[in-house]
Amino acid sequence: QVKKQCDQKLLIRMKTKCVPCSLNLDTQCPAGYTKITNGTGTPDCRYYLEVKTQTLSFLGCRHCCVKEFEHPECCQGHWGPDCVGK
């Protein structure tokens, strides 16, 4: 039996919204994503607060999330929706 389908695994990464680090403990990743950062997340972003006529910028935290996605692909020498051979 020759293998016709060689699916590719893709890792999709995303980051949650930047919020004050103290509020980031309970931040969840979107459905289907797995959180790969712990605690308050990574302090690598800025969030903004508008106070009267000024906008203040603060260091914030966000979490990294990943999702594994299987991308259907035919093996070499096969093609089409059913991955038929030569």
Side-chain angles (χ1 to χ4, degrees), residues 18-20 23 46-59:
C18 190
V19 295
L23 300 179
R46 299 196 80 74
Y47 68 95
Y48 302 92
L49 283 180
E50 283 185 35
V51 181
K52 295 188 180 171
T53 58
Q54 291 185 319
T55 301
L56 305 176
S57 167
F58 298 96
L59 179 67

Side-chain angles (χ1 to χ4, degrees), residues 6-79:
C6 296
D7 293 347
Q8 296 293 314
K9 281 193 178 180
L10 302 175
L11 210 57
I12 301 168
R13 292 174 170 266
M14 59 89 58
K15 290 188 175 182
T16 59
K17 196 174 117 187
C18 190
V19 295
C21 295
S22 58
L23 300 179
N24 205 32
L25 274 166
D26 300 325
T27 299
Q28 297 300 313
C29 292
Y33 284 83
T34 305
K35 194 190 291 186
I36 58 168
T37 41
N38 298 319
T40 57
T42 313
D44 67 347
C45 61
R46 299 196 80 74
Y47 68 95
Y48 302 92
L49 283 180
E50 283 185 35
V51 181
K52 295 188 180 171
T53 58
Q54 291 185 319
T55 301
L56 305 176
S57 167
F58 298 96
L59 179 67
C61 290
R62 55 190 176 173
H63 283 290
C64 290
C65 307
V66 292
K67 179 181 187 177
E68 204 173 75
F69 177 73
E70 213 158 82
H71 179 66
E73 227 170 79
C74 297
C75 298
Q76 200 170 348
H78 296 82
W79 61 89

